[in-house]
Amino acid sequence: LAKTTQPISMDSYEGQEVNITCSHNNIATNDYITWYQQFPSQGPRFIIQGYKTKVTNEVASLFIPADRKSSTLSLPRVSLSDTAVYYCLVGKGSQGNLIFGKGTKLSVKP
Amino acid sequence: EAQVTQNPRYLITVTGKKLTVTCSQNMNHEYMSWYRQDPGLGLRQIYYSMNVEVTDKGDVPEGYKVSRKEKRNFPLILESPSPNQTSLYFCASSRTSAQETQYFGPGTRLLVL
């Protein structure tokens, strides 16, 4: 399983765009990149998944450069309710084992 | 409503008293998994199951047992709980594997005295 490295914490203000970068230098050819969001005392919630280039949904965008050794989760115009821990995960589509790591704690201030 | 349910939500017990935390999903998912979450350590996988009667160890399986006799249920068993198993536990399921969207239960907060 590819190891991921994320900042431990980030601060932002309401209305700003937030970009959280994840490093995964030893990502394998078949690995996908997935991001989850977790609020205190709740289970994680799937945000977005991608393999290469750019993926966008109603919540976020995921940017993956050509070498795939990093990825950036972009949250447009954050609000206080986006305060949460964000996890970057990397792994193959058919596997059962998954490593969440410690995630990035995002604090959005008014 | 599609969901993963866990019971109990809160549990206080004593060292050595066997307990079971139930997990059930109504989405006909093949894959199910258990995680524990501790302050400063993030989420760590305990066991997972790719299908009925197929289970495998995650990163921290010591002190836990699981079974998968039916597709919808994946109970977590602590045969002899110890204080270091005090934690917040989450069950999750997905259609076929860990990499697909996982749906998490509400969590079970366990305190072992």
Side-chain angles (χ1 to χ4, degrees):
Chain A
L1 294 170
K3 180 183 176 182
T4 61
T5 303
Q6 306 173 231
I8 294 174
S9 64
M10 293 181 68
D11 291 331
S12 182
Y13 290 94
E14 280 191 294
Q16 289 187 332
E17 178 183 73
V18 171
N19 295 310
I20 306 175
T21 297
C22 179
S23 174
H24 27 80
N25 290 318
N26 59 340
I27 188 170
T29 303
N30 296 330
D31 285 347
Y32 285 78
I33 300 155
T34 310
W35 286 80
Y36 280 80
Q37 174 193 57
Q38 186 182 27
F39 299 112
S41 297
Q42 293 186 27
R45 183 175 73 111
F46 173 90
I47 302 176
I48 198 165
Q49 184 180 72
Y51 182 79
K52 61 181 179 180
T53 62
K54 176 184 175 182
V55 179
T56 297
N57 62 23
E58 64 278 5
V59 177
S61 294
L62 179 60
F63 299 92
I64 306 169
D67 66 6
R68 302 198 332 118
K69 293 185 183 298
S70 67
S71 59
T72 299
L73 174 72
S74 182
L75 304 171
R77 297 180 299 283
V78 295
S79 64
L80 295 176
S81 63
D82 292 315
T83 293
V85 178
Y86 293 83
Y87 296 95
C88 166
L89 294 81
V90 173
K92 292 181 179 56
S94 61
Q95 70 188 22
N97 189 213
L98 198 64
I99 298 175
F100 269 80
K102 299 180 183 180
T104 298
K105 185 175 183 179
L106 173 65
S107 297
V108 180
K109 302 174 183 177
Chain B
E1 179 191 355
Q3 61 182 348
V4 177
T5 57
Q6 296 178 227
N7 283 292
R9 295 288 315 280
Y10 305 91
L11 180 60
I12 301 174
T13 189
V14 295
T15 299
K17 186 176 181 181
K18 180 180 179 179
L19 67 92
T20 299
V21 183
T22 65
C23 174
S24 182
Q25 50 93 5
N26 62 0
M27 295 169 278
N28 201 36
H29 285 168
E30 303 284 346
Y31 177 89
M32 296 185 76
S33 182
W34 276 102
Y35 300 87
R36 62 177 288 175
Q37 185 166 37
D38 305 289
L41 297 178
L43 277 152
R44 295 179 293 170
Q45 191 178 42
I46 304 171
Y47 269 96
Y48 62 91
S49 170
M50 300 295 287
N51 209 330
V52 175
E53 301 292 359
V54 179
T55 63
D56 209 343
K57 296 177 180 179
D59 297 311
V60 288
E62 296 78 19
Y64 303 95
K65 284 177 59 177
V66 293
S67 68
R68 188 89 182 275
K69 294 183 171 56
E70 309 165 277
K71 182 182 275 193
R72 65 182 293 129
N73 296 322
F74 190 44
L76 179 69
I77 303 159
L78 285 72
E79 294 271 3
S80 182
S82 63
N84 64 12
Q85 292 179 296
T86 291
S87 187
L88 178 58
Y89 291 87
F90 290 104
C91 178
S93 73
S94 71
R95 196 171 63 89
T96 61
S97 74
Q99 284 303 304
E100 295 207 38
T101 302
Q102 288 197 58
Y103 296 87
F104 283 78
T108 295
R109 194 170 290 278
L110 172 66
L111 173 62
V112 183
L113 300 173

